[in-house]
């Protein structure tokens, strides 16, 4: 078996099918089979818990615990495992390997390269799935579904890929047997990209600009998200899966005090991965003449995954304020609008979220990776609750975004 490079810290995972270079001494083409050399690279990426911040150094934060390759066709009608061989240690062929378990991937593997021989000429496509937790049949892989609550740990995200086989113009010689003469087969290649099905929003903390004289202290009590897709449909077409179900919108009117406070305080089904509550996250007005105060979440960064491509979710922040009119006054702000700076440093707005993309909250003018949700004292006015948040967008990747309140 050939073992070359399965690189462990790149932006995406790619399975590349490249040519065989064995000598060809036979003038006879065997049109019933193909030869494919599969090189799997960049499968295991930067590890981290669900709340860890994704690094801005070009690496991603997806973990591959198990991995499976399927040789199939454009209709996904069957797999073509039967009769497929790989190179052995003594210039012979052995049965092919298509599934790598957690034990396989933790046993010192740094790369995997398999020369697949005698692949049926009916095979036209390669698809892959990672983190299914077990070896699957093709039918099981195509029928994979998930709910968003199960996709919050970045170490267990379902990952999918597919790509068509393309002729290379190269050939590979098959060995003669006692009953058959040596022939050669055509070599095909493909480049499927292994990606998650979700987008990720990251929050490190909060930043408040005291632009007026009405408040002296603001306490952040909760952050919550809504207007997201609850499920991933079956994995086919495209193989990575698509969001399904009706959008989850428990707070029907975000401009209604009774709706918002009722949900945070007395609503049903109002706890879960989509909400975090905080203790002691207080933003006091500075006394040194400055206006900006920032505070990180004491327990560490928060991350929220959403099936994508889909609409931009709503973000709601539940607050308590102290001001000239009294103490512990309830307040909240919300946004469904996030902005970012494009490659030319021009402000743009998110119109949808994309899979394999990280949206990190960013205070306008701060360095990339700040992670704070910024808002202004004026945003607490009951008439103007909708924020404009800037995010940094990266391709599992991180994109710094700013909420527009």
């Amino acid at each position: 078996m050939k073992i070359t490079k399965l690189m462990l810290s790149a932006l995406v995972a790619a399975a590349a099918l490249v040519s065989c270079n064995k000598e060809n001494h036979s003038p006879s083409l065997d049109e019933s089979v193909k030869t494919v050399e599969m090189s799997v690279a960049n499968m295991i990426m930067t590890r981290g818990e669900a709340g860890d911040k994704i690094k801005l150094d070009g690496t991603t934060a997806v973990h591959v615990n198990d991995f499976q390759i399927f040789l199939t066709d454009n209709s996904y009608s069957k797999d073509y495992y039967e009769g497929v061989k790989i190179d052995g240690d003594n210039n012979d062929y052995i049965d092919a390997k298509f599934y790598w378990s957690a034990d396989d991937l933790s046993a010192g593997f740094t790369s995997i390269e398999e020369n697949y021989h005698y692949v049926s000429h009916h095979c036209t496509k390669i698809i892959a799935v990672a983190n299914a937790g077990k070896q699957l049949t093709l039918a099981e892989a195509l029928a994979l579904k998930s709910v968003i609550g199960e996709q919050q740990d970045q170490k267990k995200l379902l990952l999918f890929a597919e790509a068509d086989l393309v002729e290379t113009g190269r050939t590979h010689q098959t060995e003669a047997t006692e009953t058959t003469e040596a022939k050669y087969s055509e070599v095909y290649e493909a480049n499927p990209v292994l990606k998650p099905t979700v987008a990720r929003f990251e929050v490190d903390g909060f930043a408040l600009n005291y632009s007026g004289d009405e408040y002296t202290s603001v306490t952040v009590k909760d952050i919550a998200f809504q207007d997201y897709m609850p499920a991933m449909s079956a994995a086919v077409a495209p193989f990575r899966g698509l969001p399904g179900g009706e959008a989850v919108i428990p707070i029907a009117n975000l401009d209604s005090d009774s709706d918002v406070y009722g949900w945070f305080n007395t609503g049903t089904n109002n706890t879960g991965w989509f909400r975090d509550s905080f203790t002691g996250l207080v933003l006091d007005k500075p006394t040194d003449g400055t206006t900006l105060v920032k505070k990180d979440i004491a327990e560490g960064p928060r991350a929220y995954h959403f099936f994508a491509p889909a609409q931009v979710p709503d973000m709601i922040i539940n607050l308590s304020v102290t001001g000239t009119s009294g103490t512990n006054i309830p307040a909240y702000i919300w946004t469904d609008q996030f902005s970012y700076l494009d490659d030319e440093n021009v402000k743009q707005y998110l119109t949808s979220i994309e899979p394999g993309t990280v949206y990190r909250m960013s205070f306008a003018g701060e360095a990339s990776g700040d992670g704070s949700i910024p808002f202004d004292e004026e945003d607490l006015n009951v008439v103007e609750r909708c924020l404009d948040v800037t995010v940094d967008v990266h391709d599992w990747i991180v994109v710094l975004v700013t909420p527009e309140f």
Side-chain angles (χ1 to χ4, degrees), residues 337-340 347-352 388-389 404:
Q337 188 166 254
F338 297 83
S339 61
Y340 66 96
K347 183 178 179 179
Q348 305 288 347
Y349 285 91
L350 291 181
T351 57
S352 64
D388 187 347
V389 180
E404 304 274 343

Side-chain angles (χ1 to χ4, degrees), residues 98-301:
F98 299 98
Y99 175 71
W100 289 262
S101 67
D103 289 340
D104 291 332
L105 295 175
S106 63
F109 273 77
T110 57
S111 61
I112 299 172
E113 181 175 298
E114 302 287 14
N115 295 305
Y116 288 145
H117 307 298
Y118 307 108
V119 178
S120 168
H121 71 285
H122 294 295
C123 177
T124 58
K125 186 184 290 288
I126 180 172
I127 58 179
V129 60
N131 296 343
K134 64 178 183 178
Q135 187 167 0
L136 305 170
T137 65
L138 178 60
E140 289 171 335
L142 297 175
L144 273 177
K145 298 181 180 181
S146 183
V147 295
I148 193 59
E150 297 173 351
Q151 294 295 303
Q152 295 304 313
D153 186 341
Q154 68 192 42
K155 295 172 68 176
K156 299 178 181 178
L157 296 176
L158 280 171
L159 307 173
F160 298 101
E162 73 169 286
D164 294 328
L165 300 186
V166 178
E167 286 187 81
T168 66
R170 296 183 290 272
T171 60
H172 165 75
Q173 181 179 312
T174 60
E175 301 294 332
T177 69
E178 293 181 359
T179 58
T180 62
E181 64 180 6
K183 293 187 177 182
Y184 66 89
S185 57
E186 295 177 327
V187 176
Y188 287 72
E189 65 181 5
N191 293 285
V193 177
L194 201 61
K195 279 191 173 183
T197 64
V198 297
R200 175 182 173 103
F201 276 56
E202 289 187 342
V203 178
D204 282 10
F206 300 84
L208 172 60
N209 180 44
Y210 281 94
S211 58
D213 297 320
E214 188 172 355
Y215 304 109
T216 59
S217 182
V218 174
T219 299
V220 180
K221 298 169 63 178
D222 307 272
I223 183 174
F225 288 87
Q226 67 168 26
D227 197 11
Y228 57 83
M229 304 305 291
M232 185 199 79
S233 64
V236 292
F239 184 65
R240 60 167 176 75
L242 290 172
E246 294 186 6
V248 176
I249 309 177
I251 306 175
N253 183 1
L254 288 173
D255 289 321
S256 167
D257 288 4
S258 60
D259 284 1
V260 174
Y261 296 135
W263 185 83
F264 275 110
N265 298 326
T266 61
T268 58
N269 300 319
N270 62 355
T271 59
W273 65 268
F274 47 82
R275 174 182 175 175
D276 276 300
S277 299
F278 310 107
T279 301
L281 211 165
V282 182
L283 301 168
D284 291 320
K285 187 173 184 177
T287 58
D288 59 1
T290 61
T291 61
L292 178 65
V293 59
K294 297 167 62 176
K295 192 162 186 178
D296 289 340
I297 298 169
E299 298 82 1

